[in-house]
Amino acid sequence: MEELKRAVAKEALRFIEDDMIVGLGTGSTTAYFIEYLGKLIMEGELEDVYGVPTSYQARLLALESGVPVVGLDEVDAIDIAVDGADEVDPNLNLIKGRGAALTMEKIIEYRAGTFLVLVDESKLVERLGQRMPVPIEVIPAAWRAIAEEIEVFNATAELRMASRKDGPVVTDNGNFILDARFHRIDDPLDLEIELNNIPGVVENGIFADIADIVLVGTKEGVKRMER
Ligand SMILES: O=C(CO)[C@H](O)[C@H](O)COP(=O)(O)O
C-alpha cells in the first residue's frame, strides 16, 4: 500500500511547474508528495514554488521538507491543490476528513485552478459512504444537538474521540468532529449542501463536484480518472 501511495505522489510532481502556488493536502499520501516536492525545490529543479498548507500537519511537513509556505490570505490564486481522499466514487465525488482537516482542505481545494486527488485503489467505491463515515466539523457546544438532528437523514453520528489525548478530537480550528454513517447516499451534492445548512455545522467531508483529476495507485501502475 505504501508503494502505491509513493507512486501516485511521484506522478503528481509532473503537474507542478515553476512559479506555482500549490495547495498542500493532509494525510499519509500527500505527505509523500510534500516530501518529494521539497526535494525538487531544494535541488533547484523547481523555482518559485510556494505551498499553502491545509493543516498543521501539512505546514510542519512542508517546513521540514523545504517547501516555502504562505497563508491563504497572502496569495491571489492557487494554481493547483494536491490532496488524498477516503473514498472516491465514479463521478469523482469524494469523502475526506479522516485527518479532521476537511474545512481548510475544502476552502483551499475549492479555490484551486486544478484539484488533483491522490489515492490508492482501495479508496474507489461505487457509492459514497459505503465504507467510510462522513466527517462533520461542528462548533463544540452544538455537537449533541447536531448529532440528534443528523438522525433526520436516516443516519447515526458519533463524536470522534482522540487517541493520544483524553476526550474528543479538537480540530486545527478548535472544533469537534462528528462521524456520520448514512444508510445510503444517493445524491452527494444535495447531502453536502443540506448538512451545511444545519446551524453549528462548520463544514462536512463530502466534496462533490470539486475534484478535477484523480490519480489512482494500482498494482498495474498509476491510473488517471478525469471529469
Ligand atoms: O482528508 C484527509 C485528511 O483530512 C486525507 O486526505 C484523507 O484522509 C486521506 O488520507 P490518507 O492519504 O492518509 O489515506
Side-chain angles (χ1 to χ4, degrees):
M1 208 55 91
E2 292 310 302
E3 264 318 302
L4 302 186
K5 290 181 188 180
R6 273 195 277 266
V8 280
K10 276 210 177 97
E11 190 69 19
L13 294 172
R14 291 173 183 266
F15 291 78
I16 313 300
E17 295 168 9
D18 290 349
D19 303 312
M20 274 190 168
I21 304 286
V22 183
L24 302 174
T26 302
S28 57
T29 316
T30 324
Y32 287 122
F33 168 75
I34 296 172
E35 194 187 303
Y36 298 153
L37 180 63
K39 199 156 179 280
L40 286 187
I41 292 170
M42 299 296 272
E43 287 168 354
E45 300 276 327
L46 280 172
E47 284 181 5
D48 293 321
V49 169
Y50 292 86
V52 181
T54 57
S55 63
Y56 287 129
Q57 186 217 24
R59 185 168 193 279
L60 296 178
L61 205 58
L63 293 174
E64 199 181 296
S65 308
V67 179
V69 294
V70 285
L72 179 59
D73 53 359
E74 293 176 89
V75 297
D76 294 327
I78 295 168
D79 297 293
I80 184 169
V82 181
D83 202 353
D86 302 313
E87 284 188 352
V88 180
D89 80 6
N91 297 316
L92 270 53
N93 298 312
L94 318 173
I95 288 182
K96 289 185 47 53
R98 182 203 46 77
L102 58 129
T103 299
M104 276 312 285
E105 289 174 339
K106 198 181 281 187
I107 292 170
I108 288 169
E109 287 149 18
Y110 177 82
R111 276 167 180 75
T114 303
F115 175 24
L116 177 65
V117 180
L118 311 180
V119 292
D120 62 73
E121 55 193 340
S122 71
K123 308 285 185 68
L124 301 183
V125 294
E126 271 313 304
R127 181 181 290 119
L128 291 188
Q130 238 170 273
R131 296 187 0 227
M132 297 295 286
V134 177
I136 305 173
E137 181 163 359
V138 300
I139 297 294
W143 80 267
R144 206 177 131 206
I146 295 170
E148 281 167 16
E149 184 138 358
I150 294 292
E151 289 172 18
V152 172
F153 296 86
N154 202 5
T156 53
E158 203 179 304
L159 183 62
R160 190 183 295 182
M161 303 306 282
S163 58
R164 296 190 63 193
K165 161 192 172 293
D166 292 341
V169 165
V170 177
T171 69
D172 290 356
N173 311 307
N175 298 314
F176 288 175
I177 294 283
L178 290 173
D179 285 308
R181 291 196 178 272
F182 293 84
H183 175 60
R184 187 186 163 102
I185 301 176
D186 283 320
D187 186 338
L189 181 59
D190 185 58
L191 182 61
E192 179 179 5
I193 294 166
E194 289 269 324
L195 290 173
N196 281 357
N197 271 341
I198 303 172
V201 167
V202 177
E203 191 49 83
N204 71 82
I206 299 178
F207 286 49
D209 287 350
I210 302 183
D212 296 301
I213 302 168
V214 178
L215 298 180
V216 187
T218 76
K219 285 175 209 83
E220 293 79 41
V222 176
K223 296 189 176 157
R224 181 173 168 148
M225 292 166 72
E226 208 157 335
R227 277 206 287 159

